[in-house]
Amino acid sequence: MKNIPDIEQLADRFKRGNISKQEFQQLVEWYTSFDDTKAHIETDEPLEQEQLKNRILNSIVQRVQADEVMTGALAGTVRKKNLWLWRAAAILLLFIIAGLSFFQYRRSQQAPMHADAQALTLPTEQARLRLGDGTVIELRPDSNGLISREEITYAQGGVLVDSESIQEKLQRQPIALETPHGKQFRVVLSDGTQVWLNANSVLRYPHRFAQSAREVEVVGEVFFKVAQKSDANGHRIPFRVRTARQHIEVLGTEFNIHDYPGLSYAHTTLLEGKVAVDQAGQRYTLKPDQQWTVQNGKASVRTVATDSYVAWRHGKFDFNNKALDQVLDEVSLWYGISVVYPDGVPQVELTGDAYRDDDFKLILRLLDVAKVSYTLDIPNRKLIIKK
């Protein structure tokens, strides 16, 4: 069986489109001999090793069945009807091979560092609710959501603030929902608007909105799914969000705000509907799939793949099409670590995604693949990136 350098050469050959059928078969044979337990493979339920292999290979079949390239069960062999589409299937397999091979790549050099990374655990703080009278309530660790109606209740049941005491505790506004590192939380506001908070974020909001306006404040990263509301005359009641660097006006929409103090940039990404962003006297109107960004005081609007910017809602990091420092900003805010660049930020990009509840060593392995040098200071929770 070929070793890793040989496999990388073959992978490069079919990436350029000049691999032979025999060479591709060697890649397939290498894959079928690989120990899947060493790879991170997304599944909906626990699977045995052979099931994992079949599931991944079957996904390749499904991607090319429309062109009638492959049929039948795959257990390490594939039938070819068209050479070009055969190569297309091989390119699909490249992504699997790349994902598997980085777990072995430089393993001997990085094993001690990866072992140390196991000691870097997520922070154990819980989300908090800070009421208008100064009362601070630490939220249950098994809860991930609140519902704000006459009472404030947990999403899965159970009263947090009962109706008898709610007027006294909430007479001074606003309420503040606060998330620590390593936690995200959801709240349904009194108007039905759904809000998701990313790690190390704050949402300030009234227990009851006024009749003519709805306004909240955000620090950090928050996703909104705004409910449409109208007044007695049938006019839509606007929804406004304020951060340190932007004011956003909304009319029934889904959007994501990323505005952390200390970062040189902030952005608002629109998924559905329409929003207007005011910043430094300028007004920017966004359409779906557009993102407003400010970097060191300079604002712009661009089209983006929105899934990459809201992957956190589904418990994932998405590294695609992001600069290395922005990716590691996400990692640092989640794991509660600091990232420093004594020699400047390397001009490389990571690709792919990872679940946030994975071990931190997966992040280090991704850095290995990108050939980024680093030192992990466990006691001080610091990741030092070198050029």
Side-chain angles (χ1 to χ4, degrees), residues 113 116-117 120 337 360 364 374-378 382-384:
M113 182 64 71
D116 291 344
L120 186 64
I337 64 172
F360 187 75
L364 302 183
Y374 57 84
T375 299
L376 181 62
D377 182 350
I378 296 286
K382 182 183 295 185
L383 179 62
I384 304 166

Side-chain angles (χ1 to χ4, degrees), residues 44-62:
D44 297 325
E45 56 187 0
L47 299 175
E48 297 296 331
Q49 176 177 332
E50 195 60 32
Q51 289 177 296
L52 283 169
K53 292 176 181 177
N54 290 337
R55 181 167 180 162
I56 294 174
L57 289 173
N58 285 336
S59 70
I60 297 175
V61 178
Q62 294 169 6

Side-chain angles (χ1 to χ4, degrees), residues 103-357:
F103 283 90
Q104 291 189 346
Y105 184 71
R106 291 173 62 189
R107 181 166 53 185
S108 59
Q109 295 93 327
Q110 294 295 334
M113 182 64 71
H114 292 168
D116 291 344
Q118 294 178 351
L120 186 64
T121 58
L122 283 172
T124 58
E125 292 181 77
Q126 302 303 321
R128 297 176 299 274
L129 193 69
R130 193 180 301 272
L131 304 182
D133 68 345
T135 301
V136 177
I137 304 173
E138 186 172 286
L139 303 178
R140 290 190 337 219
D142 64 339
S143 175
N144 62 1
L146 295 176
I147 299 174
S148 184
R149 294 196 180 104
E150 292 302 320
E151 300 177 319
I152 299 178
T153 62
Y154 287 106
Q156 69 269 44
V159 175
L160 182 66
V161 182
D162 60 45
S163 57
E164 292 184 3
S165 59
I166 201 167
Q167 296 302 320
E168 177 185 351
K169 289 184 178 296
L170 302 178
Q171 60 184 348
R172 280 167 283 184
Q173 306 292 343
I175 303 170
L177 178 58
E178 305 169 354
T179 55
H181 296 291
K183 299 287 183 182
Q184 58 188 66
F185 215 84
R186 176 186 175 215
V187 60
V188 179
L189 304 182
S190 60
D191 66 340
T193 292
Q194 300 178 61
V195 188
W196 289 259
L197 281 72
N198 202 351
N200 201 33
S201 299
V202 180
L203 172 71
R204 297 187 180 94
Y205 64 97
H207 180 60
R208 283 285 178 270
F209 286 114
Q211 294 295 319
S212 59
R214 299 175 289 172
E215 186 168 311
V216 300
E217 296 181 17
V218 163
V219 177
E221 184 161 30
V222 178
F223 180 92
F224 287 88
K225 186 173 183 178
V226 177
Q228 294 187 13
K229 289 291 180 181
S230 300
D231 60 21
N233 297 319
H235 299 132
R236 284 187 174 182
I237 302 174
F239 192 99
R240 297 185 178 93
V241 184
R242 293 182 178 272
T243 77
R245 284 176 278 197
Q246 53 185 308
H247 296 167
I248 301 167
E249 184 169 341
V250 185
L251 289 173
T253 191
E254 295 185 23
F255 63 102
N256 190 79
I257 295 174
H258 183 287
D259 197 338
Y260 282 97
L263 297 185
S264 63
Y265 59 91
H267 49 74
T268 291
T269 308
L270 181 64
L271 281 73
E272 293 183 11
K274 183 179 178 180
V275 298
V277 181
D278 290 315
Q279 185 260 343
Q282 296 292 318
R283 187 175 179 88
Y284 305 82
T285 301
L286 301 185
K287 299 177 181 178
D289 300 326
Q290 288 188 328
Q291 181 183 81
W292 172 88
T293 301
V294 61
Q295 177 87 36
N296 295 319
K298 185 178 180 180
S300 62
V301 175
R302 60 175 183 161
T303 299
V304 297
T306 57
D307 287 349
S308 180
Y309 291 91
V310 297
W312 65 268
R313 269 189 58 206
H314 309 292
K316 298 178 73 174
F317 294 112
D318 190 311
F319 305 120
N320 295 300
N321 303 311
K322 296 177 183 176
L324 179 65
D325 56 342
Q326 291 191 15
V327 167
L328 293 183
D329 284 341
E330 293 183 37
V331 171
S332 68
L333 288 164
W334 182 252
Y335 284 99
I337 64 172
S338 60
V339 182
V340 296
Y341 307 88
D343 304 316
V345 181
Q347 298 302 304
V348 300
E349 289 186 0
L350 304 183
T351 58
D353 54 34
Y355 280 100
R356 291 177 160 207
D357 57 2

